[in-house]
Amino acid sequence: MPEAPATIAPITQDVLTIPRKLPEGGLRNLVGLTRDQLRDALIAAGTSEKQAKMRVGQIWQWIYHWGVRDFAAMTNLAKDYRALLAEHFEISVPEVVTRQVSADGTRKYLLRIAGGHEVEAVYIPEETRGTLCISSQVGCTLTCSFCHTGTQKLVRNLTAAEIVGQVMVARDDLGEWPVPGAPKDETRLVSNVVLMGMGEPLYNFDNVRDAMKVVMDGEGISLSRRRITLSTSGIVPEIARTAEEIGCLLAISFHATTDEVRDRLVPVNKKWNIATLLDALRDYPRLSNSERITFEYVMLKGVNDSDADAKRLVKLISGIPAKINLIPFNEWPGAPYERSDWERIEAFADIVYKAGYASPIRTPRGEDIMAACGQLKSATERARKSRAEIASEAGL
């Protein structure tokens, strides 16, 4: 097999990130709190324990079913109680810095969060569903050599509020919140959520778990766990917890069939190698034919795309209910790899399919706005701000 290109170290980060000076104290954001956390917060602010459960249900519906951000609009709450809420809390989502729409309808949002940091989320419309790809970290700590996001240093984990907020921002933009009094519309524009944006979700487990509890709650955004897919590069100790505490579907950034190649492509493999990862997946508590594990496999010319790789892949995953998503490599400036030729991708897919596995080739979406898989990076337009402007915005 040809050697992977020598350029495997992460490319030097080319964006200056300065934490924004935040006001001290301030109002507590209710977005992202679980029901128990919301109940505790309301009691601490003066809600009686006797009324707390009812208040949680009312506020929850206003925020997550109706999409309301102003306590004054919560008309089934007494005026003095609305004033109490406004005195202690806010309903805040990330700020949309830029919104780009691809020729194929894909939407990419550059979102600013606390501290002035930025993350990206991508909405991909299809005939039968609409998938929102959300981020879990600012930057990424994994430095996968084929991934543009991995060329950034990890800045920080996102809070549960910032994760849930990405879903709310997309629903804002798509006009998906129901209108009181209007006929019920069962169409779901954001019908699926994938944790496949910036970051490794399982390195931010608690916030991701709490955020998904909010998203899955049946009285609000109400996406079923089967509509949520978490993508991990293989953080083995957290895989069983994912099934037990989140219960969503699982996708694995696999990308190689030997430890030698995967060590280069996905460096976390040096900690939990292919055999260790596959053992954990075979024990995954939710394994069944109806809930297959998705193996994501980016097709890199001359690196991992041979017939021998395809045959090794089906042998490795034998016994695991699975489908294999073949991802044509999405190139980005300075990328050390090339996309496999289309004939090579189809030949690889044919071997996998004949072995009994679904092997869809993912159609690249949003490439013209750098929104395709592996292309996300927090500052979309590098030249748009000078170092002095960033420092000025940060209050320095």
Side-chain angles (χ1 to χ4, degrees):
M1 178 189 296
E3 287 293 310
T7 315
I8 59 169
I11 293 168
T12 306
Q13 186 184 13
D14 56 354
V15 60
L16 177 67
T17 303
I18 304 172
R20 175 164 293 176
K21 291 180 179 175
L22 298 175
E24 292 185 14
L27 303 176
R28 184 171 184 186
N29 189 9
L30 295 185
V31 174
L33 299 184
T34 63
R35 283 181 178 268
D36 287 344
Q37 291 166 343
L38 178 55
R39 178 182 180 274
D40 291 345
L42 294 179
I43 291 171
T47 305
S48 72
E49 292 199 23
K50 191 174 179 181
Q51 284 198 324
K53 184 177 180 181
M54 177 181 70
R55 296 303 187 206
V56 166
Q58 291 170 319
I59 294 166
W60 192 276
Q61 190 174 52
W62 281 116
I63 296 174
Y64 297 119
H65 177 74
W66 299 112
V68 166
R69 308 284 156 79
D70 183 0
F71 294 113
M74 299 182 179
T75 50
N76 61 347
L77 301 177
K79 189 174 276 190
D80 60 345
Y81 190 67
R82 283 181 260 164
L84 179 141
L85 292 175
E87 185 182 341
H88 291 91
F89 303 113
E90 64 179 355
I91 302 167
S92 177
V93 299
E95 172 197 351
V96 179
V97 180
T98 60
R99 168 186 172 275
Q100 294 174 281
V101 182
S102 167
D104 63 22
T106 298
R107 302 184 185 202
K108 182 169 76 167
Y109 309 101
L110 180 66
L111 305 172
R112 182 169 295 134
I113 57 174
H117 304 305
E118 293 170 349
V119 295
E120 288 180 336
V122 176
Y123 174 71
I124 305 162
E126 297 173 83
E127 277 190 28
T128 57
R129 64 183 179 182
T131 300
L132 182 67
C133 177
I134 62 176
S135 297
S136 56
Q137 296 179 311
V138 184
C140 189
T141 190
L142 292 173
T143 65
C144 298
S145 57
F146 59 87
C147 178
H148 199 206
T149 314
T151 66
Q152 296 182 99
K153 293 176 181 175
L154 175 68
V155 178
R156 70 167 172 86
N157 285 335
L158 296 190
T159 64
E162 290 160 349
I163 297 169
V164 175
Q166 293 172 68
V167 180
M168 297 172 74
V169 163
R171 295 194 77 181
D172 289 349
D173 185 48
L174 295 163
E176 195 177 11
W177 300 107
V179 177
K184 190 173 182 182
D185 184 357
E186 297 291 349
T187 306
R188 294 301 298 263
L189 297 177
V190 178
S191 64
N192 294 66
V193 165
V194 292
L195 286 143
M196 295 183 184
M198 296 167 60
E200 165 55 66
L202 296 190
Y203 276 150
N204 187 16
F205 186 92
D206 289 353
N207 287 323
V208 167
R209 176 199 59 212
D210 289 351
M212 292 306 101
K213 280 183 181 177
V214 172
V215 170
M216 290 188 282
D217 189 287
E219 293 181 21
I221 295 170
S222 191
L223 289 182
S224 84
R225 62 178 184 80
R226 288 170 176 258
R227 295 283 188 170
I228 297 170
T229 302
L230 182 151
S231 175
T232 175
S233 51
I235 312 306
V236 166
E238 306 292 356
I239 286 176
R241 282 185 76 199
T242 302
E244 292 157 10
E245 298 182 34
I246 304 176
C248 62
L249 302 184
L250 195 65
I252 303 296
S253 293
F254 204 60
H255 309 310
T257 60
T258 67
D259 284 326
E260 180 192 3
V261 175
R262 195 165 192 267
D263 284 351
R264 294 197 297 266
L265 298 181
V266 187
V268 77
N269 193 71
K270 295 172 186 174
K271 193 165 188 178
W272 298 290
N273 66 11
I274 289 174
T276 305
L277 173 59
L278 292 176
D279 283 347
L281 297 178
R282 287 192 174 92
D283 293 336
Y284 193 65
R286 290 198 179 277
L287 271 188
S288 70
N289 283 319
S290 64
E291 295 192 16
R292 298 172 297 177
I293 288 177
T294 299
F295 285 82
E296 297 165 312
Y297 198 96
V298 66
M299 301 298 293
L300 303 172
K301 188 173 184 176
V303 177
N304 64 354
D305 61 352
S306 67
D307 285 357
D309 280 304
K311 291 170 183 173
R312 262 195 305 272
L313 178 60
V314 296
K315 191 173 180 181
L316 283 169
I317 66 172
S318 177
I320 300 175
K323 76 170 183 177
I324 298 161
N325 264 352
L326 300 179
I327 306 168
F329 175 59
N330 297 307
E331 298 185 18
W332 39 270
Y337 301 105
E338 294 177 50
R339 178 181 292 181
S340 300
D341 295 334
W342 197 252
E343 295 78 13
R344 178 91 301 269
I345 297 174
E346 289 184 325
F348 193 105
D350 191 52
I351 291 170
V352 173
Y353 177 74
K354 284 177 177 172
Y357 293 96
S359 55
I361 300 170
R362 186 183 295 173
T363 304
R365 298 290 299 271
E367 286 186 290
D368 54 328
I369 55 170
M370 286 289 285
C373 181
Q375 290 184 323
L376 300 191
K377 203 161 186 187
S378 62
T380 306
E381 302 170 66
R382 289 294 182 209
R384 77 176 196 278
K385 287 181 189 171
S386 69
R387 187 174 293 248
E389 284 174 311
I390 295 171
S392 173
E393 280 194 6
L396 300 179

